[in-house]
Amino acid sequence: MHRSTITRRGLVAMGGVAATGLLAGCDILESVLPERDETPEISDHPGTEEIPAEPEPEPEPTLAERTLEKMTLEQKVAQLFCVTPEKLTGASVATVAGSMTAEALGRIPVGGLIYFAQNLTGAQQVRDLLSGTDELCRAAGAGIPPFLGVDEEGGTLVARVAKSGLFDVPTFPNMAEIGATGDPARAAEVGTSIGTYLRDIGFNLDFAPDADVLTNPNNTAIGVRSFGSDPELVASMVSAEVEAMLETGTLPCVKHFPGHGDTAGDSHTGAVYAERSREEIESCEFAPFRAAIEAGCPFVMVGHIETPNFAADGLPASLSQVMITDVLRGELGFTGVIITDSFSMGAITQNFGPADAAVRFFQAGGDMLLMPEDLNAAYQGVLDAVNAGTITKERIDESVLRVLTAKEQAGILA
């Protein structure tokens, strides 16, 4: 989040008094007034002369900026991927951070990992898995720690940790019930509790809260995960949860931009569409995302949602320059990390190859790609695009700096 400083200059006008010489012929006046010395005076006080202002010193580079300067292109591109431990290592189920993880990180030192129920088998096992992965990531490449993420929205549907039964942590009803109270303090309680126990276990990124406005009551993909159908209510709930979670040190990620609440389909299985007009989407679906951005949310997840009456480019938002750069960056002013929804979903895999999808996302202005169907192909595809000039090195640097800045914000970059 960047602020610009506006300075004001005051202008000082200097004036003098001129004699008109109307009494120049008067003897009395001549006897009183001394002769005028035309020699210019030299000041005995040089400090009163106008001295050019010294330019303000350049600000010291941030830790994120200093880290970026030391990285190779390969390390930079790797930072832009967040994957499951299985996709990283090739293991069928990953529950430990061992030699396979170390070897894989030596090849592609990814920027983050996301964990699901199959990765959580014991309380100490989860802590060891996360701390071990963190150590191996720091030992690989440029020594950069990873995002360690999980889907922990709360409620009965998406709560990997709370539903595991491995930890004595608070549980919550579905967010629809939280929203029905009309009290943002309840959403703040969710953010504080979830953020606290995730951080204690070893996670640092939560793919929550859900910022979708449930405008289609037949929407089963979102349903009770949403705080409700009133955009202002959802905005207040999302803002409260984001602020509270940030206070715990866990980074929240709002989802699924530009809004999954009106869709009838499920992007897990194929393309989905939001048929609403631009005016409807801007006034309704965008309200919670605006509130989250204003609350300082460092991540926004872009969904695989086509908007034929808005972007009208025939692309899911996760590949759309209109939605990512023009709208989310430009219109909404978001300066944090734009991450995709899973690129293993049918909405992507049925229409785009792994390399093609990855290249399109970064060309559109996105920052971090979540769960590519084939990590090796996607990673190599982006490297090839940079070397061919279809993605500039500057475009990569912009995204890597946002990723590193978020890690610095979380206090994990050292």
Side-chain angles (χ1 to χ4, degrees):
M1 296 63 187
H2 303 283
R3 296 189 178 92
S4 60
T5 302
I6 301 174
T7 59
R8 298 180 178 177
R9 293 182 178 177
L11 300 179
V12 180
M14 298 185 65
V17 178
T20 62
L22 295 176
L23 300 177
C26 177
D27 293 337
I28 297 174
L29 183 61
E30 288 177 355
S31 67
V32 174
L33 295 178
E35 292 185 6
R36 184 176 179 182
D37 186 356
E38 299 298 333
T39 304
E41 293 185 2
I42 299 176
S43 172
D44 291 329
H45 306 284
T48 62
E49 297 175 1
E50 186 174 346
I51 300 174
E54 294 185 6
E56 292 186 8
E58 290 291 325
E60 288 293 321
T62 65
L63 177 57
E65 290 169 335
R66 296 197 303 272
T67 303
L68 178 67
E69 292 176 358
K70 300 183 291 186
M71 297 172 67
T72 66
L73 174 62
E74 290 75 15
Q75 291 166 348
K76 291 175 182 178
V77 172
Q79 279 294 300
L80 305 182
F81 288 90
C82 183
V83 300
T84 64
E86 288 82 5
K87 286 292 184 182
L88 176 67
T89 63
S92 57
V93 177
T95 56
V96 297
S99 59
M100 291 178 67
T101 304
E103 189 275 332
L105 289 171
R107 290 184 292 104
I108 308 179
V110 295
L113 292 103
I114 179 171
Y115 298 89
F116 290 87
Q118 71 266 21
N119 306 123
L120 317 180
T121 60
Q124 191 58 47
Q125 170 269 329
V126 175
R127 296 179 189 276
D128 292 343
L129 172 63
L130 298 176
S131 63
T133 302
D134 181 81
E135 291 176 8
L136 292 175
C137 283
R138 291 174 187 268
I144 300 170
F147 291 124
L148 300 170
V150 67
D151 287 307
E152 192 76 3
E153 298 174 11
T156 61
L157 298 178
V158 184
R160 317 293 185 206
V161 173
K163 289 182 66 178
S164 71
L166 302 174
F167 301 93
D168 183 16
V169 298
T171 58
F172 295 94
N174 292 315
M175 294 307 103
E177 292 186 42
I178 300 291
T181 68
D183 184 3
R186 293 295 307 279
E189 180 187 350
V190 173
T192 298
S193 297
I194 291 178
T196 299
Y197 72 66
L198 289 184
R199 188 74 181 203
D200 175 69
I201 294 167
F203 294 100
N204 52 44
L205 172 61
D206 185 13
F207 294 104
D210 188 300
D212 299 311
V213 181
L214 193 66
T215 54
N216 179 359
N218 296 319
N219 181 329
T220 57
I222 301 302
V224 294
R225 298 165 62 190
S226 167
F227 283 110
S229 59
D230 181 335
E232 296 307 317
L233 170 70
V234 176
S236 66
M237 295 289 173
V238 167
S239 176
E241 182 171 346
V242 164
E243 290 180 352
M245 191 174 293
L246 283 171
E247 286 292 323
T248 70
T250 298
L251 301 181
C253 173
V254 288
K255 57 189 183 185
H256 308 80
F257 184 83
H260 212 318
D262 181 61
T263 61
D266 187 341
S267 53
H268 287 84
T269 56
V272 297
Y273 303 88
E275 303 283 355
R276 289 156 68 79
S277 69
R278 179 182 186 121
E279 291 73 20
E280 288 173 323
I281 291 173
E282 287 183 335
S283 62
C284 179
E285 274 81 355
F286 284 2
F289 292 99
R290 287 194 185 96
I293 292 168
E294 194 170 316
C297 192
F299 277 81
V300 171
M301 179 183 287
V302 180
H304 311 312
I305 303 154
E306 293 186 36
T307 53
N309 299 316
F310 192 156
D313 53 9
L315 293 170
S318 54
L319 299 179
S320 171
Q321 183 170 337
V322 173
M323 277 301 177
I324 291 175
T325 296
D326 298 348
V327 177
L328 185 50
R329 288 268 185 243
E331 184 179 328
L332 273 64
F334 181 59
T335 59
V337 177
I338 296 176
I339 190 168
T340 69
D341 205 343
S342 168
F343 263 33
S344 294
M345 291 182 178
I348 296 297
T349 60
Q350 292 174 10
N351 300 290
F352 307 93
D356 181 34
V359 169
R360 285 172 177 263
F361 170 66
F362 294 114
Q363 286 176 328
D367 301 312
M368 203 165 197
L369 195 155
L370 179 66
M371 297 171 60
E373 183 183 28
D374 185 328
L375 173 60
N376 292 320
Y379 171 71
Q380 190 59 51
V382 175
L383 283 177
D384 291 344
V386 175
N387 291 325
T390 54
I391 298 178
T392 66
K393 292 182 179 179
E394 290 76 17
R395 170 79 276 282
I396 295 298
D397 282 357
E398 288 173 1
S399 288
V400 177
L401 184 57
R402 292 188 188 107
V403 169
L404 296 175
T405 299
K407 291 183 177 184
E408 184 174 356
Q409 178 185 357
I412 63 175
L413 187 66

